[in-house]
């Protein structure tokens, strides 16, 4: 089957609780949880690339261009991008005309993986499979659904991605 | 997108630790964890049907015929079947010539969901997405890979499903 | 052995992650996690009383008087009070001259119980035992140590209570 | 306050799920979870000594003599011994006449720490505090209660230690 690259950009999926500030932030050592998430999923074949750890609410076009560049540079045809839920749809639509002959699947989580009982594992499992099954283009996989870039939007009322 | 039914047959994914015997068994109240797993995945649309809670090592053809019957009776075209890992491939090959115009995806877990850090959420997320994307037939989705019925086999040495 | 009452006042131990705001807050239904924490600890005998769910940084003397009143009204001689870590010492010193022939043990957590891998269970286990062993007075039990009211202070640098 | 040593002997508290055999066993690398449990409890001061990792149902007097020897050799006056629940009372009564001027507290868990939602953290938190508060002798701390060696017995019907 296809090789797969996971490009990490941050977002809720990778946040941790900081007991000093009582808030959520990225790990002080700048690490991503994706290798641990794959280990739990007993999924050994993806290559994990840590591009950045940012809250997607603060993404600008330079960040999105960096993601497009990482996708272009990836030797794999199938790519999963972990991303904050706040502007996941915006990034999908930015990437759509820029990625060429690749299948790119954006995913993330509403609750950080590090807090347990997170939707992160469920979403990642869906994204890894979808990236191998879908045709070229940019897609989102969240909460059991597959979205074309044009239709990828968070349902903020329900706290999930929905059709 | 497609409606989806999840038919529960048991297996490791649904087992719990029994502090009295120190072993793993199904919940004394006969309940399945699938609704809780979907809630954590923030995935609200599948219908869960509890068919049986059995260890797949003890499945016989009558059990497999019951699964085929439940698939046939399902109003949905897309069906996920949770199943023990021990004989998942045997059931896939039993079902393959018997399911008609349906997409059936078998999945399960190497570590029970109720023990946390389980591959169950990752596998379920993959199976739910695959059941909506794959064509008619019987498939297995485990540990990030999609398997045709003929090639669905546990790698007992590595403790995962692998190509 | 002694009967025991647990008076719940809120604090980090009882907070939950809100996927919509990305912050920590108390459960929308106003529930406490203490019964679930005791169930996990397989500790069946304490009586849980939900007095309030507040962040202790916003406690004023009226809140502390309410706690003193609840302690006075408790039929049990041994009382555990769950409390935010921010002003736990202040409350201990407020209660010390006001509680009469009771043993009162304050405890809480640096990481919410609902985020797992929390110090809450460890601290609660210590507080429940200490309330049965210590003499009359007001004490704090956090992170494996027992503190007299006068010496109960968070080490904000280390993120724990320390001697 | 007092220094504290934790002597690890095995038991359910330290068991892990083996996905290949579907059973519980000790970690293949022979490691104990006690340092991780203390880290979660944000409790930094105890010294952890790994004496053995055994199921207490298979303890004989040589194992119990080894525990007595480790207690005698400990420079600390306060000692916690992690132990299987099956024969915890037998070991307490074996140790009672042999430990001299020490406070020894036995503890363990009905559900392994590594399966989450375990009573292990609650019990350990109680044991660490009790070892600093109790007088010389051998005690058990389980499920929120303190037991003299003579009265330390598992309630197998309820799946807990009880008075």
């Amino acid at each position: 089957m296809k090789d797969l690259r996971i490009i990490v950009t941050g977002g809720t999926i990778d946040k941790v609780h900081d007991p000093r500030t009582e808030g959520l932030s990225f790990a002080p050592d700048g690490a991503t949880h994706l290798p641990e998430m794959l280990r739990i999923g007993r999924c050994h074949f993806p290559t994990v690339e840590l591009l950045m750890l940012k809250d997607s609410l603060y993404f600008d076009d330079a960040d999105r261009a960096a993601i497009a560049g990482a996708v272009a540079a990836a030797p794999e045809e199938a790519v999963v991008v972990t991303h904050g839920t706040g502007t996941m749809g915006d990034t999908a639509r930015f990437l759509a005309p820029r990625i060429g002959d690749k299948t790119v699947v954006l995913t993330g989580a509403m609750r950080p993986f590090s807090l347990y009982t997170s939707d992160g594992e469920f979403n990642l499992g869906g994204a890894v499979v979808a990236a191998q099954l879908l045709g070229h283009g940019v897609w989102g996989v969240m909460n059991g659904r597959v979205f074309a870039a044009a239709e990828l939007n968070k349902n903020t009322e329900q706290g999930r991605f929905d059709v």
Side-chain angles (χ1 to χ4, degrees), chain A:
Chain A
M1 289 189 68
K2 290 185 189 171
D3 287 339
L4 182 76
R5 176 168 299 250
I6 300 177
I7 297 175
V8 174
T9 76
T12 298
I13 196 170
D14 246 328
K15 287 195 175 169
V16 299
H17 175 253
D18 181 337
R20 289 172 195 78
T21 64
E22 287 273 306
L24 299 179
S25 57
F26 295 108
D29 65 358
T32 172
H33 298 79
L34 265 292
E36 170 75 356
M37 292 180 71
L38 291 170
R39 195 187 60 75
I40 289 172
R42 307 183 86 82
C43 177
H44 67 99
F45 60 90
T47 300
V48 176
E49 173 183 343
L50 174 53
L51 180 65
M52 60 182 106
L53 282 181
K54 290 188 74 167
D55 187 321
S56 78
L57 293 175
Y58 304 115
F59 271 12
D60 56 23
D61 279 358
D63 294 310
R64 296 197 167 95
I67 299 172
V71 169
E76 298 85 359
E77 192 185 329
V79 177
V80 168
V81 177
T82 65
H83 195 286
T85 60
T87 68
M88 192 185 285
D90 297 332
T91 298
R93 291 180 280 278
F94 179 96
L95 292 177
R98 292 176 170 85
I99 58 103
D101 292 343
K102 300 265 187 180
T103 301
V104 177
V105 178
L106 280 73
T107 196
M110 299 297 297
R111 177 179 166 102
F113 163 75
S114 70
L115 275 46
Y116 297 79
T117 60
S118 159
D119 52 333
E121 288 278 358
F122 186 88
N123 294 337
L124 182 64
V128 164
V129 164
Q132 298 171 77
L133 294 179
L134 288 165
H136 294 164
V138 178
W139 313 83
V141 169
M142 286 291 290
N143 308 130
R145 288 298 197 194
V146 178
F147 304 90
E151 289 153 15
L152 180 62
N153 292 298
K154 179 158 68 168
N155 180 333
T156 50
E157 177 121 0
Q158 295 289 339
R160 67 184 182 225
F161 284 66
D162 220 345
V163 286

